[in-house]
Amino acid sequence: MQRTRIKICGLTREEDVLAAVQAGADAVGFVFYDKSPRYVTPQRAAELSALLPPFVTPVGLFVNAGAAAVAATVAAAPLSLLQFHGDESAQDCAAAAQAAGRAFMRVFRVKPDTSGAELLEYERLCRASSGLFSGLLLDTFVDAYGGAGKVFDWSLIPKDLAHRAVLSGGLSVQNVTGAVASVRPYAVDVSSGVERAKGIKDARLIAEFIRGVRAADATFEKDPHHENPA
């Protein structure tokens, strides 16, 4: 069975980290953007990361942070993967990843007029910039940094990109099964869709979200010839 990986992002509390782990999350995300209501300090991220068992990946989300700041954060918090969510160029991301000695994801904020060719070209540029590039995370374009809980048109994602991309943007218990079944991404990333308040996760929603992803995976197992309609 193809198993879609799952990241729960924007964690700020011990109980939310434990809920994500218990429900079967593959990764958890910590936000190091101080204008976000989900912001945590590197020291707080280190405390929360100490609760993680082996093979659950701690990911650090950065917005327009310089290479030195990223490296300093990684020195204080045991992050395994970086996620760049601002206006960083591919070269900026590569430099910060090199300074920190960590692989990175780059967020592409998808607009209504984004083309599949544009997504593939951006992935190519990021991959050419650094051997530390891990993949694209596709989110919805809004006039702010970080997610806004809004969905973009999934049909814009090229079939030959979807299977190695991380799908984000407005995912929730209500729509994640359909999203995974139609897009077949490598992974999904959720934050506000499993919250009861900004930065406060809901253990029941986390568990239901992960069950929704697994339901789509099970459907794909029954129909291995299922095609991405994009």
Side-chain angles (χ1 to χ4, degrees):
M1 179 178 76
Q2 175 176 327
R3 189 175 73 81
T4 306
R5 271 59 173 183
I6 300 166
K7 172 170 165 271
I8 309 297
C9 198
L11 298 178
T12 63
R13 307 187 305 164
E14 286 87 348
E15 54 263 50
D16 296 339
V17 172
L18 294 173
V21 169
Q22 183 172 2
D26 299 284
V28 298
F30 302 114
V31 177
F32 299 107
Y33 178 52
D34 62 8
K35 294 182 175 60
S36 169
R38 302 172 184 92
Y39 169 73
V40 293
T41 65
Q43 292 71 29
R44 180 60 175 152
E47 294 170 357
L48 296 172
S49 295
L51 301 173
L52 297 175
F55 309 125
V56 176
T57 303
V59 181
L61 186 155
F62 298 88
V63 175
N64 300 331
V70 173
T73 299
V74 170
L79 304 175
S80 297
L81 184 66
L82 311 176
Q83 178 177 322
F84 296 116
H85 219 295
D87 300 315
E88 304 94 344
S89 68
Q91 291 72 27
D92 291 336
C93 295
Q98 184 67 37
R102 295 292 186 275
F104 70 95
M105 291 188 294
R106 180 68 176 101
V107 173
F108 188 107
R109 297 185 289 162
V110 180
K111 299 179 180 180
D113 61 350
T114 296
S115 68
E118 186 178 356
L119 290 171
L120 288 168
E121 174 61 14
Y122 191 72
E123 183 199 37
R124 187 194 68 77
L125 287 173
C126 289
R127 199 169 298 283
S129 72
S130 172
L132 293 172
F133 174 68
S134 180
L136 289 183
L137 185 148
L138 306 178
D139 201 354
T140 308
F141 179 86
V142 293
D143 288 325
Y145 299 117
K150 296 181 179 180
V151 174
F152 65 89
D153 182 358
W154 301 325
S155 71
L156 296 172
I157 305 171
K159 179 181 175 182
D160 53 352
L161 172 64
H163 70 279
R164 58 180 181 270
V166 180
L167 180 64
S168 186
L171 296 179
S172 67
V173 169
Q174 289 73 31
N175 67 13
V176 72
T177 301
V180 172
S182 62
V183 177
R184 300 308 308 172
Y186 175 75
V188 291
D189 189 328
V190 65
S191 182
S192 62
V194 293
E195 287 182 334
R196 62 172 181 263
K198 289 184 178 181
I200 306 298
K201 300 303 194 242
D202 184 307
R204 178 184 59 82
L205 290 177
I206 291 174
E208 289 184 6
F209 182 89
I210 291 177
R211 282 196 294 270
V213 175
R214 298 295 167 241
D217 287 345
T219 299
F220 186 73
E221 182 181 25
K222 293 176 183 177
D223 181 16
H225 302 295
H226 176 83
E227 293 281 335
N228 178 346

